[in-house]
Amino acid sequence: LYAFLLAAIPAIGLLPIFPAFYLFDQISDNLSELTDVDYHVYLPLLTWPTAMLMTAGTVLLIAAIRWLALPRVSSGTHSIYSGFYMRKWAVALAAEVTLETLSSLFATVYMRAWYRLMGARMGRGAEISTNLGSRHDLVAVGANNFIADEVVFGEEEIRRGWMTMHEVHTGPRVFVGNDAVVPPGAVIPEDVLIGIKSKPPANELMTPGDTWFGSPPIKLPSRQRVDLGSNTQTYEPGIGPKLRRGIFEAFSTSFSPMLFITLAISAIDFYFYPAILAQDWTGLAVSFVAVSVAIAFIQSFTVIAVKWLLMGVYRPGMQPMWSWWAMRTEAVAVLYWGLAGKVLLEHLVGTPFLPWMLRLLGVKVGQGVCMLTTDITEFDCVTIGDYATINRTSALQTHLYEDRIMKVGRVVVGRGVTV
């Protein structure tokens, strides 16, 4: 059964392609009746709604799989050889497979709606950008929470053949930093901050307003709090900012699949299909490799262009979460990780070529630098000295998002430093 699911789930994950490309054909046919212009000229007008429908279809598909395969998840202990464990594993695999399409939804206004559809209890105004796997029933995220990237949130514990699952609750205005671990059974009171790569203490040790950092955690007696004078750009945005962000993120999250579909269709029409008609199999093989590499570079250089067009030069400062600046920088971050990172940059780690690409984005990289990570966001705020080495999973963290204020500062790595 495991072998069958491993073969079937990735194939099932492709199903949203069919209605998406049916929409593509319908729009293309209708436009061709109105104009004699070659459809390649206006191809993005066709592929952008196709990409949007593919993303929406993937959301509905994974939700259908979740409710059909695992209609209810409750706290308790289950054998790893049980049917429940296998169904939970299958839903988690389906979510992982489809995240290739849906990862651009992380940290957007649509994430909250998707997780509600999956059964999670998401408070009003909560922001989340982490994968819950198949634990949605066990998650209650409070109002105006901020759950950052790569947080391990209520992950089940598996020991000696048994899987133990417990609910996780967070109160209003809780902040959980990047790569933090919130264990099963955690109940975090309101206005608590759990720092980056940190773990909260036992439930009875936490009180509202606490700040905990580290593992084992240390309670910090005070921290910098910033008030930019208005809740309308942090916790209580009006209809206008919500509408603006919703429209902007609808287009920014679908930009990556739109660009890929546009380039793929162009490659098929101009290179692959003519080679097939001519039965030039050698030419097809050569063009397939060459065009695939070219597409990766086009996508990556498009991300570089978008960075400079949308953000220009990053500088230290503080911006509220609902500001136009914060929306733009989130879009650039999603494109950098989800597009340039996946198609090219992650394959260049450890080579002399990754520093070349990072320089184009604004990072100041010295000579002889060995980069084994691509985890950089505000590129112009990072300086890496000669012969430094930045090892795998390291992050040159130039921003924090606490209190819904994005605080950007500089990171300088000196000559010969190893991180």
Side-chain angles (χ1 to χ4, degrees), residues 297 344-345 347-360 369-371:
F297 274 95
L344 182 62
L345 301 186
H347 306 297
L348 300 181
V349 295
T351 73
F353 309 119
L354 182 56
W356 296 1
M357 299 296 292
L358 293 177
R359 288 187 190 109
L360 295 176
V369 170
C370 180
M371 289 289 296

PDB file of all heavy atoms in Angstrom, residues 297 344-345 347-360 369-371:
ATOM      1  N   PHE A 297      17.986  30.095 -16.251  1.00  0.00           N
ATOM      2  CA  PHE A 297      18.663  31.391 -16.171  1.00  0.00           C
ATOM      3  C   PHE A 297      17.683  32.540 -16.410  1.00  0.00           C
ATOM      4  O   PHE A 297      17.766  33.581 -15.746  1.00  0.00           O
ATOM      5  CB  PHE A 297      19.812  31.447 -17.186  1.00  0.00           C
ATOM      6  CG  PHE A 297      21.090  30.862 -16.664  1.00  0.00           C
ATOM      7  CD1 PHE A 297      21.432  29.547 -16.918  1.00  0.00           C
ATOM      8  CD2 PHE A 297      21.948  31.633 -15.893  1.00  0.00           C
ATOM      9  CE1 PHE A 297      22.607  29.002 -16.417  1.00  0.00           C
ATOM     10  CE2 PHE A 297      23.130  31.112 -15.394  1.00  0.00           C
ATOM     11  CZ  PHE A 297      23.466  29.789 -15.655  1.00  0.00           C
ATOM     12  N   LEU A 344      17.802  27.317  -9.834  1.00  0.00           N
ATOM     13  CA  LEU A 344      19.213  27.550 -10.128  1.00  0.00           C
ATOM     14  C   LEU A 344      20.079  27.703  -8.877  1.00  0.00           C
ATOM     15  O   LEU A 344      21.045  26.959  -8.699  1.00  0.00           O
ATOM     16  CB  LEU A 344      19.360  28.802 -11.007  1.00  0.00           C
ATOM     17  CG  LEU A 344      20.789  29.151 -11.450  1.00  0.00           C
ATOM     18  CD1 LEU A 344      21.366  28.026 -12.311  1.00  0.00           C
ATOM     19  CD2 LEU A 344      20.813  30.471 -12.218  1.00  0.00           C
ATOM     20  N   LEU A 345      19.755  28.644  -8.009  1.00  0.00           N
ATOM     21  CA  LEU A 345      20.694  29.034  -6.956  1.00  0.00           C
ATOM     22  C   LEU A 345      21.040  27.905  -5.996  1.00  0.00           C
ATOM     23  O   LEU A 345      22.194  27.772  -5.577  1.00  0.00           O
ATOM     24  CB  LEU A 345      20.142  30.236  -6.184  1.00  0.00           C
ATOM     25  CG  LEU A 345      19.862  31.500  -6.995  1.00  0.00           C
ATOM     26  CD1 LEU A 345      19.456  32.645  -6.082  1.00  0.00           C
ATOM     27  CD2 LEU A 345      21.062  31.889  -7.841  1.00  0.00           C
ATOM     28  N   HIS A 347      21.346  24.908  -6.680  1.00  0.00           N
ATOM     29  CA  HIS A 347      22.258  23.997  -7.359  1.00  0.00           C
ATOM     30  C   HIS A 347      23.668  24.575  -7.452  1.00  0.00           C
ATOM     31  O   HIS A 347      24.600  23.866  -7.840  1.00  0.00           O
ATOM     32  CB  HIS A 347      21.739  23.680  -8.760  1.00  0.00           C
ATOM     33  CG  HIS A 347      20.330  23.157  -8.759  1.00  0.00           C
ATOM     34  ND1 HIS A 347      19.977  21.973  -8.154  1.00  0.00           N
ATOM     35  CD2 HIS A 347      19.182  23.674  -9.260  1.00  0.00           C
ATOM     36  CE1 HIS A 347      18.671  21.787  -8.292  1.00  0.00           C
ATOM     37  NE2 HIS A 347      18.167  22.803  -8.956  1.00  0.00           N
ATOM     38  N   LEU A 348      23.812  25.846  -7.115  1.00  0.00           N
ATOM     39  CA  LEU A 348      25.120  26.504  -7.223  1.00  0.00           C
ATOM     40  C   LEU A 348      25.831  26.609  -5.884  1.00  0.00           C
ATOM     41  O   LEU A 348      26.947  27.132  -5.828  1.00  0.00           O
ATOM     42  CB  LEU A 348      24.949  27.916  -7.806  1.00  0.00           C
ATOM     43  CG  LEU A 348      24.328  28.026  -9.202  1.00  0.00           C
ATOM     44  CD1 LEU A 348      24.266  29.482  -9.634  1.00  0.00           C
ATOM     45  CD2 LEU A 348      25.120  27.208 -10.226  1.00  0.00           C
ATOM     46  N   VAL A 349      25.222  26.113  -4.793  1.00  0.00           N
ATOM     47  CA  VAL A 349      25.867  26.232  -3.483  1.00  0.00           C
ATOM     48  C   VAL A 349      27.201  25.491  -3.505  1.00  0.00           C
ATOM     49  O   VAL A 349      27.339  24.417  -4.090  1.00  0.00           O
ATOM     50  CB  VAL A 349      24.970  25.690  -2.347  1.00  0.00           C
ATOM     51  CG1 VAL A 349      23.722  26.529  -2.191  1.00  0.00           C
ATOM     52  CG2 VAL A 349      24.604  24.226  -2.574  1.00  0.00           C
ATOM     53  N   GLY A 350      28.206  26.096  -2.867  1.00  0.00           N
ATOM     54  CA  GLY A 350      29.526  25.495  -2.814  1.00  0.00           C
ATOM     55  C   GLY A 350      30.377  25.719  -4.043  1.00  0.00           C
ATOM     56  O   GLY A 350      31.521  25.269  -4.102  1.00  0.00           O
ATOM     57  N   THR A 351      29.849  26.414  -5.045  1.00  0.00           N
ATOM     58  CA  THR A 351      30.608  26.704  -6.263  1.00  0.00           C
ATOM     59  C   THR A 351      30.975  28.181  -6.289  1.00  0.00           C
ATOM     60  O   THR A 351      30.411  28.986  -5.548  1.00  0.00           O
ATOM     61  CB  THR A 351      29.775  26.381  -7.520  1.00  0.00           C
ATOM     62  OG1 THR A 351      28.753  27.383  -7.675  1.00  0.00           O
ATOM     63  CG2 THR A 351      29.123  25.005  -7.427  1.00  0.00           C
ATOM     64  N   PRO A 352      31.910  28.580  -7.158  1.00  0.00           N
ATOM     65  CA  PRO A 352      32.233  30.005  -7.277  1.00  0.00           C
ATOM     66  C   PRO A 352      31.109  30.829  -7.897  1.00  0.00           C
ATOM     67  O   PRO A 352      31.170  32.058  -7.877  1.00  0.00           O
ATOM     68  CB  PRO A 352      33.461  30.015  -8.200  1.00  0.00           C
ATOM     69  CG  PRO A 352      33.971  28.621  -8.226  1.00  0.00           C
ATOM     70  CD  PRO A 352      32.784  27.746  -7.995  1.00  0.00           C
ATOM     71  N   PHE A 353      30.090  30.150  -8.447  1.00  0.00           N
ATOM     72  CA  PHE A 353      29.078  30.870  -9.217  1.00  0.00           C
ATOM     73  C   PHE A 353      27.991  31.500  -8.342  1.00  0.00           C
ATOM     74  O   PHE A 353      27.391  32.495  -8.736  1.00  0.00           O
ATOM     75  CB  PHE A 353      28.428  29.939 -10.245  1.00  0.00           C
ATOM     76  CG  PHE A 353      29.432  29.204 -11.083  1.00  0.00           C
ATOM     77  CD1 PHE A 353      29.494  27.819 -11.064  1.00  0.00           C
ATOM     78  CD2 PHE A 353      30.328  29.898 -11.878  1.00  0.00           C
ATOM     79  CE1 PHE A 353      30.423  27.142 -11.831  1.00  0.00           C
ATOM     80  CE2 PHE A 353      31.265  29.232 -12.641  1.00  0.00           C
ATOM     81  CZ  PHE A 353      31.316  27.842 -12.620  1.00  0.00           C
ATOM     82  N   LEU A 354      27.714  30.907  -7.164  1.00  0.00           N
ATOM     83  CA  LEU A 354      26.664  31.474  -6.310  1.00  0.00           C
ATOM     84  C   LEU A 354      27.006  32.901  -5.864  1.00  0.00           C
ATOM     85  O   LEU A 354      26.128  33.777  -5.922  1.00  0.00           O
ATOM     86  CB  LEU A 354      26.403  30.568  -5.101  1.00  0.00           C
ATOM     87  CG  LEU A 354      25.295  31.036  -4.151  1.00  0.00           C
ATOM     88  CD1 LEU A 354      23.974  31.239  -4.891  1.00  0.00           C
ATOM     89  CD2 LEU A 354      25.117  30.050  -2.993  1.00  0.00           C
ATOM     90  N   PRO A 355      28.252  33.191  -5.430  1.00  0.00           N
ATOM     91  CA  PRO A 355      28.564  34.594  -5.112  1.00  0.00           C
ATOM     92  C   PRO A 355      28.344  35.541  -6.289  1.00  0.00           C
ATOM     93  O   PRO A 355      27.938  36.695  -6.086  1.00  0.00           O
ATOM     94  CB  PRO A 355      30.041  34.539  -4.705  1.00  0.00           C
ATOM     95  CG  PRO A 355      30.225  33.151  -4.157  1.00  0.00           C
ATOM     96  CD  PRO A 355      29.350  32.292  -5.025  1.00  0.00           C
ATOM     97  N   TRP A 356      28.601  35.088  -7.519  1.00  0.00           N
ATOM     98  CA  TRP A 356      28.349  35.937  -8.685  1.00  0.00           C
ATOM     99  C   TRP A 356      26.884  36.341  -8.736  1.00  0.00           C
ATOM    100  O   TRP A 356      26.557  37.509  -8.955  1.00  0.00           O
ATOM    101  CB  TRP A 356      28.724  35.198  -9.976  1.00  0.00           C
ATOM    102  CG  TRP A 356      30.167  34.856 -10.130  1.00  0.00           C
ATOM    103  CD1 TRP A 356      31.176  35.100  -9.256  1.00  0.00           C
ATOM    104  CD2 TRP A 356      30.768  34.193 -11.254  1.00  0.00           C
ATOM    105  NE1 TRP A 356      32.370  34.626  -9.740  1.00  0.00           N
ATOM    106  CE2 TRP A 356      32.149  34.071 -10.974  1.00  0.00           C
ATOM    107  CE3 TRP A 356      30.279  33.693 -12.453  1.00  0.00           C
ATOM    108  CZ2 TRP A 356      33.036  33.465 -11.854  1.00  0.00           C
ATOM    109  CZ3 TRP A 356      31.165  33.083 -13.338  1.00  0.00           C
ATOM    110  CH2 TRP A 356      32.531  32.979 -13.047  1.00  0.00           C
ATOM    111  N   MET A 357      25.981  35.350  -8.571  1.00  0.00           N
ATOM    112  CA  MET A 357      24.547  35.621  -8.644  1.00  0.00           C
ATOM    113  C   MET A 357      24.102  36.514  -7.482  1.00  0.00           C
ATOM    114  O   MET A 357      23.275  37.421  -7.658  1.00  0.00           O
ATOM    115  CB  MET A 357      23.758  34.310  -8.638  1.00  0.00           C
ATOM    116  CG  MET A 357      24.049  33.392  -9.806  1.00  0.00           C
ATOM    117  SD  MET A 357      23.575  34.107 -11.397  1.00  0.00           S
ATOM    118  CE  MET A 357      21.790  34.118 -11.241  1.00  0.00           C
ATOM    119  N   LEU A 358      24.655  36.279  -6.288  1.00  0.00           N
ATOM    120  CA  LEU A 358      24.259  37.084  -5.130  1.00  0.00           C
ATOM    121  C   LEU A 358      24.699  38.534  -5.294  1.00  0.00           C
ATOM    122  O   LEU A 358      24.006  39.450  -4.846  1.00  0.00           O
ATOM    123  CB  LEU A 358      24.842  36.481  -3.851  1.00  0.00           C
ATOM    124  CG  LEU A 358      24.279  35.105  -3.447  1.00  0.00           C
ATOM    125  CD1 LEU A 358      24.986  34.590  -2.201  1.00  0.00           C
ATOM    126  CD2 LEU A 358      22.777  35.159  -3.219  1.00  0.00           C
ATOM    127  N   ARG A 359      25.848  38.750  -5.929  1.00  0.00           N
ATOM    128  CA  ARG A 359      26.289  40.130  -6.190  1.00  0.00           C
ATOM    129  C   ARG A 359      25.278  40.863  -7.078  1.00  0.00           C
ATOM    130  O   ARG A 359      25.036  42.057  -6.897  1.00  0.00           O
ATOM    131  CB  ARG A 359      27.669  40.128  -6.844  1.00  0.00           C
ATOM    132  CG  ARG A 359      28.809  39.743  -5.902  1.00  0.00           C
ATOM    133  CD  ARG A 359      30.166  39.917  -6.561  1.00  0.00           C
ATOM    134  NE  ARG A 359      31.227  39.335  -5.741  1.00  0.00           N
ATOM    135  CZ  ARG A 359      31.900  38.226  -6.047  1.00  0.00           C
ATOM    136  NH1 ARG A 359      31.639  37.579  -7.167  1.00  0.00           N
ATOM    137  NH2 ARG A 359      32.848  37.774  -5.246  1.00  0.00           N
ATOM    138  N   LEU A 360      24.701  40.140  -8.037  1.00  0.00           N
ATOM    139  CA  LEU A 360      23.717  40.767  -8.922  1.00  0.00           C
ATOM    140  C   LEU A 360      22.469  41.200  -8.154  1.00  0.00           C
ATOM    141  O   LEU A 360      21.751  42.100  -8.581  1.00  0.00           O
ATOM    142  CB  LEU A 360      23.335  39.813 -10.055  1.00  0.00           C
ATOM    143  CG  LEU A 360      24.454  39.454 -11.052  1.00  0.00           C
ATOM    144  CD1 LEU A 360      23.957  38.420 -12.053  1.00  0.00           C
ATOM    145  CD2 LEU A 360      24.940  40.705 -11.779  1.00  0.00           C
ATOM    146  N   VAL A 369      34.977  33.426  -1.446  1.00  0.00           N
ATOM    147  CA  VAL A 369      33.935  33.065  -0.475  1.00  0.00           C
ATOM    148  C   VAL A 369      33.277  31.753  -0.881  1.00  0.00           C
ATOM    149  O   VAL A 369      32.954  31.539  -2.054  1.00  0.00           O
ATOM    150  CB  VAL A 369      32.871  34.172  -0.376  1.00  0.00           C
ATOM    151  CG1 VAL A 369      31.665  33.710   0.439  1.00  0.00           C
ATOM    152  CG2 VAL A 369      33.470  35.420   0.252  1.00  0.00           C
ATOM    153  N   CYS A 370      33.091  30.860   0.072  1.00  0.00           N
ATOM    154  CA  CYS A 370      32.366  29.598  -0.165  1.00  0.00           C
ATOM    155  C   CYS A 370      30.989  29.714   0.464  1.00  0.00           C
ATOM    156  O   CYS A 370      30.851  29.750   1.692  1.00  0.00           O
ATOM    157  CB  CYS A 370      33.136  28.427   0.428  1.00  0.00           C
ATOM    158  SG  CYS A 370      32.305  26.840   0.187  1.00  0.00           S
ATOM    159  N   MET A 371      29.956  29.786  -0.378  1.00  0.00           N
ATOM    160  CA  MET A 371      28.568  29.908   0.080  1.00  0.00           C
ATOM    161  C   MET A 371      27.875  28.558  -0.040  1.00  0.00           C
ATOM    162  O   MET A 371      27.734  28.025  -1.135  1.00  0.00           O
ATOM    163  CB  MET A 371      27.809  30.931  -0.767  1.00  0.00           C
ATOM    164  CG  MET A 371      28.216  32.371  -0.545  1.00  0.00           C
ATOM    165  SD  MET A 371      27.699  33.015   1.061  1.00  0.00           S
ATOM    166  CE  MET A 371      25.912  32.954   0.905  1.00  0.00           C
TER     167      MET A 371
END
